[in-house]
Amino acid sequence: MRPAKAINVIVVTGWITCGLLWTASTSSRPHGVEAAPKTSSHKKIGKTDCKQCHAALVSQKNVHPPAAESCDSCHEYIEKGETAEVKLTMPGNDLCYICHAEKQEELKKKSTHPPAEAGCTTCHNPHSSNVNRMLNAEARDLCFTCHADKEEELKSKKFVHLPAKEADCVVCHNPHAADFSPVLKAETKSLCLSCHGMNVKHQKDADGKIKLFSDTLVAVEFFDSARKILLGRDDKGHPYIGHPVSGVPDPSKAGAQLSCSSCHNPHAGNVRRMLRNDLQGQALCQICHSK
């Protein structure tokens, strides 16, 4: 059996047993994911085409190439006397890594997303999906299944960061793993300055979107509407001359370094500039400068 042709997205969710899409209990693994059974009993079918019973699994808009090619790409059918069993050819993520080896390497980075470690099928469907990248739901809705607190924050706060309001979480976060916590695509200051930097210039793609990182495109209005700040070569100068924004300890957070998020909430807030704890003026400054 030859492996399916490699593609550039990581995919997989759900598994089949006796013609049904099997959903396990959600009690024992993080992010509501239960391990797939290693094997499942199956009626002896001889050479019958799997899709005679399981056509619904590949009926959505985007079909995973291995599933389109052959069920044997990922599943093994073994006859045992008058019965048979069906199992994955390899366990869990190892099967996905046959084609998506770059994701296995990516998960070695410092900050990993728990669902990606728990199993690719946490977020991806292995057979077909109506959503790009074989996701089980639209990206924002998928994130909110675990991060409901962020969804509520975006709904309830007066001021919302435009990318968080109108784009996907993956503008700033990598859904698998990253070198910067919490799975950020860049160190916090660099991430923020990619839009808020005074002298930052970016390439545009054929559709006129701004390319921030190697895999991130945002609408021009996101970039143009971002308030620009100018820092000195020593990374000082915001919110006033001589004030650092990085490279020094954060007095309010033991063990943390000062960053944009020391003063700003990156998602939403009830005061302008989405200041931390909805504080303004001296009340905010006194978090660090209490004496």
Side-chain angles (χ1 to χ4, degrees):
M1 178 179 62
R2 61 188 181 88
K5 182 180 179 181
I7 54 178
N8 292 326
V9 293
I10 188 169
V11 288
V12 270
T13 269
W15 36 86
I16 55 173
T17 177
C18 299
L20 298 176
L21 185 63
W22 186 80
T23 304
S25 74
T26 59
S27 60
S28 63
R29 291 187 66 184
H31 290 76
V33 185
E34 186 62 61
K38 293 183 178 180
T39 61
S40 61
S41 59
H42 199 287
K43 180 179 179 181
K44 188 174 180 179
I45 57 174
K47 298 296 183 180
T48 303
D49 182 2
C50 302
K51 293 177 184 177
Q52 289 184 11
C53 294
H54 303 296
L57 293 176
V58 290
S59 64
Q60 298 186 80
K61 179 181 177 181
N62 302 305
V63 180
H64 189 201
E69 181 177 318
S70 172
C71 301
D72 292 341
S73 298
C74 300
H75 297 277
E76 186 176 6
Y77 171 80
I78 304 172
E79 292 189 353
K80 293 187 174 182
E82 296 302 314
T83 62
E85 69 177 25
V86 175
K87 65 179 182 179
L88 295 175
T89 57
M90 296 181 69
N93 285 6
D94 290 341
L95 179 61
C96 305
Y97 295 152
I98 294 175
C99 293
H100 304 288
E102 77 284 358
K103 297 302 177 186
Q104 184 178 27
E105 188 63 27
E106 187 175 33
L107 285 171
K108 296 178 182 178
K109 292 184 176 181
K110 181 179 178 181
S111 178
T112 55
H113 193 201
E117 290 186 302
C120 308
T121 58
T122 310
C123 299
H124 300 274
N125 191 300
H127 303 111
S128 66
S129 171
N130 287 324
V131 183
N132 288 338
R133 298 187 181 278
M134 306 290 295
L135 293 176
N136 292 323
E138 293 292 344
R140 285 170 63 85
D141 294 333
L142 187 61
C143 297
F144 291 153
T145 58
C146 292
H147 302 286
D149 58 323
K150 298 304 178 186
E151 181 179 24
E152 179 59 29
E153 184 179 19
L154 296 180
K155 289 179 178 178
S156 62
K157 297 291 186 178
K158 185 176 180 180
F159 299 97
V160 179
H161 194 198
L162 189 60
K165 180 180 180 180
E166 297 187 11
D168 294 331
C169 308
V170 294
V171 168
C172 297
H173 298 277
N174 188 306
H176 303 108
D179 288 324
F180 308 96
S181 182
V183 284
L184 293 176
K185 292 188 173 181
E187 175 270 329
T188 303
K189 183 201 69 177
S190 298
L191 183 70
C192 298
L193 289 180
S194 65
C195 282
H196 293 279
M198 180 69 74
N199 298 318
V200 174
K201 295 182 180 180
H202 293 293
Q203 295 180 337
K204 293 183 180 179
D205 73 348
D207 297 325
K209 290 186 176 182
I210 297 289
K211 188 174 184 179
L212 295 184
F213 308 102
S214 61
D215 61 348
T216 304
L217 296 172
V218 299
V220 173
E221 53 265 32
F222 290 175
F223 181 79
D224 290 344
S225 66
R227 180 177 180 239
K228 309 302 182 185
I229 65 172
L230 180 64
L231 298 176
R233 293 182 179 178
D234 55 359
D235 280 346
K236 295 181 179 180
H238 182 74
Y240 56 81
I241 295 174
H243 192 282
V245 298
S246 67
V248 297
D250 184 341
S252 69
K253 301 177 183 177
Q257 290 288 301
L258 195 72
S259 71
C260 304
S261 59
S262 297
C263 297
H264 299 273
N265 186 314
H267 301 108
N270 282 324
V271 299
R272 286 188 177 278
R273 313 298 182 212
M274 300 177 296
L275 296 175
R276 181 177 167 190
N277 298 336
D278 294 333
L279 298 175
Q280 298 186 80
Q282 289 188 354
L284 177 66
C285 298
Q286 287 174 353
I287 293 177
C288 295
H289 304 284
S290 58
K291 296 182 180 181

